[in-house]
Amino acid sequence: MADSASPHSAAPIRGFGERLTKVFDRLGQLCVGIDPHPYLLEQWGLPDTAAGLREFGLSVVAATVDGDAGIIKPQVAFFERHGAAGFSALEDVIAAARHSGLLVIADAKRGDLGTSVEAYGQAWLTPGSPLEADAMTISAYMGVGSIQAPMELAEATGKGLFVLAATSNPEARSLQTARLGGGQTVASSIVSDVVEWNRAQGAERVMGSVGLVLGATVDFADYAIDLDSLSGVAATPVLAPGFGHQGASFSDLGRIYGAAVGSTVVAASRSILHAGPDGVAEAVAAQAAEVRACRA
């Protein structure tokens, strides 16, 4: 079972990448998504209310601990539907997860520039914030330079970011494979900027604090993404959606992510959540074990 003592109550380990590495070493690379779709709430016998979302989220947190996984990823949008009460429920879920020693990636996909994106970073990454997570997803389609403030905040506070680069939805392909003036694709340009940032923060790091969202159903050759560049000095972490319900198989981890497989957070949600409240802990345990076996 996951360690019941919260790492957040002790002196923090420097750097999100270091903390992520420790979770990988202890519990493996599975990340359990908390996606309270209305139909899942109904299947679980819960109302589509803030109270229902709170119970759903807390149940998944407990199941993740019991199932020997170490990372959760709440999808912020489902909580946001319920306004202030939904955010209150999300605060409770995040706090319970972090108190249980889980690493929390807030799937917020925020994106802006200047003081606006700086404020988004402060909301999710500032120690003591009501929504404090360990990392957040973020969009940089106004240029990676537009999110410099959150990147600097993440470095200063031991938090992490996962920047959208090559996502698993088919609608994104034409934009993300579009060529820039220098011949790079939009996606590969984001990748190279993030890799450069991580290396600039210190070559002594095993893993950097700013990662990339690279979907498991993407053909990275079509996006001109060099996965080898993500490994080595200050390796760039990867958040990998697309497993389970979206079609990718854990057995293909090595083939899909190549040299970057050791720094990949393997995200699964609906394939676990469909097990219902009585089976979700068993589903977490089974999938966590499968991911560990595929990486052995």
Side-chain angles (χ1 to χ4, degrees), residues 15 44 46 50 56 83 105 109 122 131 135 147 149 155 163 182 188 227 259 281-282:
W44 282 47
L46 295 172
F56 183 96
I105 302 171
K109 296 186 179 71
Q122 291 166 347
L131 290 166
I147 61 168
E155 291 292 344
V163 185
S188 66
L227 293 171
E282 184 178 349

Side-chain angles (χ1 to χ4, degrees), residues 12-52:
I13 300 169
R14 173 176 286 181
F16 173 75
E18 293 181 51
R19 294 195 288 134
L20 184 61
T21 300
K22 284 189 174 290
V23 171
F24 281 179
D25 291 344
R26 188 165 58 96
L27 293 167
Q29 294 170 234
L30 181 70
C31 172
V32 179
I34 301 181
D35 296 13
H37 295 267
Y39 79 90
L40 281 174
L41 291 168
E42 182 179 4
Q43 179 184 320
W44 282 47
L46 295 172
D48 187 4
T49 62

Side-chain angles (χ1 to χ4, degrees), residues 128-198:
S129 165
L131 290 166
E132 180 188 356
D134 296 291
M136 66 180 288
T137 57
I138 194 166
S139 173
Y141 285 106
M142 287 180 277
V144 172
S146 71
I147 61 168
Q148 183 169 340
M151 291 196 297
E152 291 175 347
L153 179 61
E155 291 292 344
T157 57
K159 303 295 188 179
L161 295 173
F162 286 96
V163 185
L164 302 181
T167 56
S168 52
N169 60 308
E171 303 89 349
R173 190 180 190 282
S174 60
L175 170 63
Q176 294 171 357
T177 60
R179 297 280 173 171
L180 304 177
Q184 285 186 306
T185 65
V186 171
S188 66
S189 174
I190 291 172
V191 169
S192 62
D193 283 351
V194 168
V195 168
E196 182 179 346
W197 170 271
N198 283 325

Side-chain angles (χ1 to χ4, degrees), residues 4-15:
S4 60
S6 170
H8 308 286
S9 60
I13 300 169
R14 173 176 286 181

Side-chain angles (χ1 to χ4, degrees), residues 22-282:
K22 284 189 174 290
V23 171
F24 281 179
D25 291 344
R26 188 165 58 96
L27 293 167
Q29 294 170 234
L30 181 70
C31 172
V32 179
I34 301 181
D35 296 13
H37 295 267
Y39 79 90
L40 281 174
L41 291 168
E42 182 179 4
Q43 179 184 320
W44 282 47
L46 295 172
D48 187 4
T49 62
L53 268 65
R54 179 182 285 103
E55 184 173 346
F56 183 96
L58 293 175
S59 295
V60 177
V61 166
T64 301
V65 174
D66 290 344
D68 283 340
I71 310 169
I72 63 160
K73 182 174 68 66
Q75 172 49 258
V76 171
F78 291 109
F79 293 86
E80 193 168 321
R81 291 188 306 124
H82 292 279
F87 273 111
S88 178
L90 179 58
E91 290 171 11
D92 291 345
V93 171
I94 291 175
R98 299 186 76 243
H99 181 74
S100 298
L102 300 177
L103 210 61
V104 179
I105 302 171
D107 199 352
K109 296 186 179 71
R110 299 301 193 239
D112 211 317
L113 46 82
T115 54
S116 297
V117 78
E118 182 178 15
Y120 283 134
Q122 291 166 347
W124 297 100
L125 305 179
T126 301
S129 165
L131 290 166
E132 180 188 356
D134 296 291
M136 66 180 288
T137 57
I138 194 166
S139 173
Y141 285 106
M142 287 180 277
V144 172
S146 71
I147 61 168
Q148 183 169 340
M151 291 196 297
E152 291 175 347
L153 179 61
E155 291 292 344
T157 57
K159 303 295 188 179
L161 295 173
F162 286 96
V163 185
L164 302 181
T167 56
S168 52
N169 60 308
E171 303 89 349
R173 190 180 190 282
S174 60
L175 170 63
Q176 294 171 357
T177 60
R179 297 280 173 171
L180 304 177
Q184 285 186 306
T185 65
V186 171
S188 66
S189 174
I190 291 172
V191 169
S192 62
D193 283 351
V194 168
V195 168
E196 182 179 346
W197 170 271
N198 283 325
R199 291 178 177 170
Q201 305 313 306
E204 75 283 356
R205 297 183 178 187
V206 174
M207 197 183 304
S209 293
V210 180
L212 296 159
V213 178
L214 299 177
T217 57
V218 169
D219 184 342
F220 298 119
D222 290 346
Y223 290 65
I225 292 173
D226 177 13
L227 293 171
D228 290 345
S229 71
L230 306 183
S231 61
V233 173
T236 294
V238 172
L239 177 60
F243 289 95
H245 186 84
Q246 295 184 54
S249 298
F250 297 143
S251 59
D252 290 328
L253 263 170
R255 177 188 62 79
I256 295 170
Y257 291 100
V261 70
S263 56
T264 296
V265 178
V266 182
S269 55
R270 281 173 285 182
S271 60
I272 292 172
L273 303 176
H274 279 156
D278 297 329
V280 65
E282 184 178 349

